[in-house]
Amino acid sequence: MSLDSESTLVFHTMEEIDQTYARLTKTFQSGATRPLEYRRRQLLQLARMIQDNHTAFEDALIADLNKPRVETTVSEVSHLVTAVLYAVANFEEWALPQPCETKEAWRSSWGATLYKEPKGVVLIISPWNYPLVLTINPLIGAIAAGCPAVLKPSELVPTFTQLLADLFPRYLDPDAYAVVKGGVPETTHALDLRWDHIFYTGNSRVGRIVATAAGKHLTPVTLELGGKSPAVIADDCDFDIAARRVLYGKIQNAGQLCVAPDYALVLRDKVDAFVESLRKAHDEFWPEGDHPLTGSVPISNIVNPRHHARLVDLLNRTKGKVVLGGEIHKDKSISPTILTGVPEDDVLMDEENFAPFLPIVAVDDMDHAMRIVNSKHIPLVIYLFTNQEELKDKFLERTRSGQLVLNDTIMQLVVHEMPFGGQGESGYGMWFGKTTFDVFTHFRGVINVPTAHEPFFQSRYRPYTQDKYEWACGPSRAKIPEA
Ligand code: NAD
């Protein structure tokens, strides 16, 4: 084992990673993780692990991120208990063989069926910002699908990672589910191994590294990445409600959330009114005597001094004007910060901010807003605040994003049944609920061609004749409908 230089987390050695991989591979080959009863027991144990250690998880995330207990409870612990129980209630149905949508004859007499087979041993690599939910949620799908899994949480949340590593063997089958503690060299080593699926959540730079490593083994990958998700404020919406909802989405974990509204696009003559509404919402969240940095429940910390310095640098370089917040707690946190007069080519409009900053860019009209959105990489989500049906349709038709959320922020995450995922720079592959089960499942098609059908096959066999050629041409001459 080796020590992480930034913390006291003891990393696994390369030999230990290899041993874990070998152990889990053997388990998969034995078939132990396949029976539905086994999967059910492990899922229930996972639910128990989260429930029994609710406070321990909160404490760990306070130690690593100073994340408020309410935020850990809502978005990690409660979310996960719901997600596991949802999987427990449904996975047996998800795992049922499924008749293939095909010609009646092939379904009934050939029995064309899709069998749901576990892909094999999978690797789940997760980031520091929502470390519990982003590690365990994919695992729910892996267990439900019958796959052993290695989890590689982020080294930037050492207290959490150590806790998870300690809890796992107490609740789950250690021959099938393991936590690997490590940083870049350990993850690089793990990526050299042949996995049956890799599920990566994090930034797109590392996403490229993961996809390249997976490519060497032709391993399928899910990439859950980030991006600049805009909040577009049309003039017909209720500004007070829109501002409260945008600020709510912005301050979760101090803006270190993949689906946080990254910037706002507001009609030029409405910017002042929207800022006023944001100010009102801010004062509701932190009433007289309370403060985001020094109050009784401060906003989360910026994950580490390196990221903190990056954000302070952005604040120093922006051409925008801070109209609210902008207070800096050295090396730790930054208060929710609203900026106006932000040019389209500002530093805050470059990369994902991943910060408690809301730069507001003034637009001439909604077409201008769409042009700005479309000039950037495809975001994970677009938040549009309007009640105009025509405008909603315009955004649906003329923009691209992982999701489109109307009139709120981040609530797409509670819809377990709705597949979640990005496009382009915000990632590929979908997950959530049954879709996560599908991620780790191979849909194995099976047909059984009766020997009694032999007389129908005479035309396919040699010797090839003109008659047989004419028969073969039949489908190619099918009538193509007029437009
Ligand atoms: P991070 O630094 O913790 O990295 C994520 C994982 O990648 C960690 O486990 C880390 O050990 C590993 N890693 C880092 N460098 C590596 C390398 N060179 N080779 C191999 N592995 C490496 O987290 P992060 O990337 O800063 O996470 C924040 C990003 O994740 C943001 O862009 C955010 O938008 C995105 N994100 C996306 C989602 C989503 O669901 N789409 C959810 C959360 C976060």
Side-chain angles (χ1 to χ4, degrees):
M1 301 226 185
S2 66
L3 273 184
D4 169 14
S5 55
E6 285 186 12
S7 71
T8 53
L9 188 66
V10 178
F11 286 173
H12 283 106
T13 62
M14 308 308 170
E15 293 72 32
E16 286 168 328
I17 295 170
D18 291 345
Q19 285 160 8
T20 300
Y21 176 81
R23 187 173 77 247
L24 268 59
T25 302
K26 199 168 155 215
T27 302
F28 181 66
Q29 285 164 352
S30 77
T33 58
R34 281 174 169 254
L36 297 180
E37 192 39 48
Y38 170 92
R39 304 184 203 182
R40 185 183 178 78
R41 263 199 322 275
Q42 297 300 315
L43 285 171
L44 292 173
Q45 279 298 95
L46 189 61
R48 275 184 204 108
M49 181 188 91
I50 298 157
Q51 210 166 57
D52 293 354
N53 298 283
H54 183 154
T55 311
F57 284 123
E58 286 174 8
D59 291 344
L61 295 193
I62 286 174
D64 288 334
L65 294 163
N66 203 24
K67 195 182 273 196
R69 286 187 192 277
V70 172
E71 290 184 25
T72 299
T73 297
V74 170
S75 53
E76 311 230 40
V77 176
S78 291
H79 181 91
L80 278 177
V81 172
T82 307
V84 188
L85 296 181
Y86 178 73
V88 168
N90 293 291
F91 85 99
E92 292 182 20
E93 191 186 324
W94 301 339
L96 285 175
Q98 179 183 314
C100 188
E101 295 292 329
T102 178
K103 283 187 192 176
E104 173 56 22
W106 291 343
R107 205 168 48 235
S108 57
S109 62
W110 291 15
T113 303
L114 295 172
Y115 284 82
K116 315 286 181 64
E117 306 246 325
K119 278 187 179 171
V121 184
V122 303
L123 174 64
I124 296 168
I125 304 174
S126 58
W128 51 267
N129 64 333
Y130 282 78
L132 179 61
V133 79
L134 294 172
T135 311
I136 299 300
N137 234 349
L139 176 68
I140 295 171
I143 296 176
C147 297
V150 168
L151 276 53
K152 214 305 290 171
S154 176
E155 65 279 23
L156 301 188
V157 278
T159 319
F160 162 78
T161 298
Q162 188 58 55
L163 174 65
L164 200 68
D166 292 342
L167 292 175
F168 250 52
R170 286 174 40 201
Y171 285 88
L172 298 172
D173 177 357
D175 287 332
Y177 310 107
V179 173
V180 160
K181 297 179 286 177
V184 175
E186 292 74 14
T187 316
T188 307
H189 182 79
L191 284 170
D192 269 344
L193 301 168
R194 178 186 287 273
W195 303 92
D196 295 301
H197 193 98
I198 300 175
F199 193 106
Y200 168 80
T201 307
N203 69 69
S204 53
R205 182 186 61 80
V206 176
R208 286 177 166 79
I209 296 173
V210 171
T212 305
K216 277 193 216 143
H217 295 295
L218 298 179
T219 295
V221 192
T222 303
L223 294 182
E224 294 295 338
L225 312 176
K228 286 188 90 61
S229 298
V232 182
I233 315 295
D235 58 355
D236 68 294
C237 70
D238 180 321
F239 273 24
D240 284 351
I241 293 178
R244 191 184 296 124
R245 293 179 175 195
V246 168
L247 192 65
Y248 169 74
K250 181 80 262 186
I251 60 175
Q252 299 303 303
N253 200 31
Q256 302 166 114
L257 165 64
C258 59
V259 289
D262 187 273
Y263 62 101
L265 298 173
V266 182
L267 292 169
R268 207 170 292 288
D269 60 350
K270 300 288 180 197
V271 170
D272 290 346
F274 188 61
V275 169
E276 225 19 72
S277 293
L278 284 166
R279 219 184 276 281
K280 247 164 99 178
H282 183 277
D283 292 348
E284 284 166 19
F285 293 169
W286 286 283
E288 194 71 46
D290 198 359
H291 189 274
L293 300 186
T294 55
S296 53
V297 186
I299 194 165
S300 294
N301 283 346
I302 304 306
V303 63
N304 60 22
R306 184 169 57 83
H307 278 278
H308 193 277
R310 174 183 72 84
L311 299 186
V312 172
D313 179 57
L314 282 176
L315 277 187
N316 286 334
R317 288 194 295 134
T318 177
K319 297 199 177 89
K321 179 175 163 222
V322 173
V323 292
L324 182 69
E327 296 141 295
I328 297 166
H329 187 313
K330 191 174 177 308
D331 283 355
K332 275 191 155 180
S333 46
I334 302 180
S335 62
T337 302
I338 314 291
L339 302 102
T340 57
V342 178
E344 282 175 45
D345 60 356
D346 193 67
V347 282
L348 292 175
M349 292 299 287
D350 251 1
E351 310 242 301
E352 177 184 28
N353 287 312
F354 227 53
F357 306 159
L358 187 72
I360 298 178
V361 176
V363 294
D364 301 328
D365 50 33
M366 286 294 113
D367 284 342
H368 184 194
M370 268 189 293
R371 278 200 304 280
I372 294 178
V373 172
N374 289 337
S375 70
K376 303 194 172 299
H377 290 304
I378 305 174
L380 206 44
V381 51
I382 294 173
Y383 298 115
L384 171 64
F385 289 81
T386 187
N387 292 307
Q388 304 169 51
E389 293 305 322
E390 203 184 318
L391 189 58
K392 293 177 193 171
D393 290 346
K394 247 185 177 180
F395 266 79
L396 253 183
E397 284 165 22
R398 299 208 208 148
T399 63
R400 290 192 291 173
S401 60
Q403 281 145 0
L404 174 66
V405 174
L406 301 165
N407 295 313
D408 204 355
T409 61
I410 73 178
M411 280 303 115
Q412 69 274 35
L413 300 178
V414 305
V415 189
H416 289 260
E417 302 81 358
M418 187 165 79
F420 174 94
Q423 251 200 96
E425 200 70 14
S426 52
Y428 53 76
M430 310 291 283
W431 68 309
F432 270 34
K434 178 180 183 299
T435 318
T436 320
F437 170 90
D438 291 347
V439 163
F440 296 109
T441 297
H442 174 63
F443 286 63
R444 191 179 192 186
V446 175
I447 55 171
N448 178 11
V449 185
T451 42
H453 287 192
E454 192 59 7
F456 303 123
F457 291 150
Q458 292 316 304
S459 303
R460 74 181 186 185
Y461 296 128
R462 280 175 181 272
Y464 298 144
T465 61
Q466 188 58 31
D467 279 359
K468 288 179 182 176
Y469 177 73
E470 289 302 319
W471 167 82
C473 284
S476 74
R477 293 174 184 152
K479 186 165 166 44
I480 296 171
E482 299 302 321

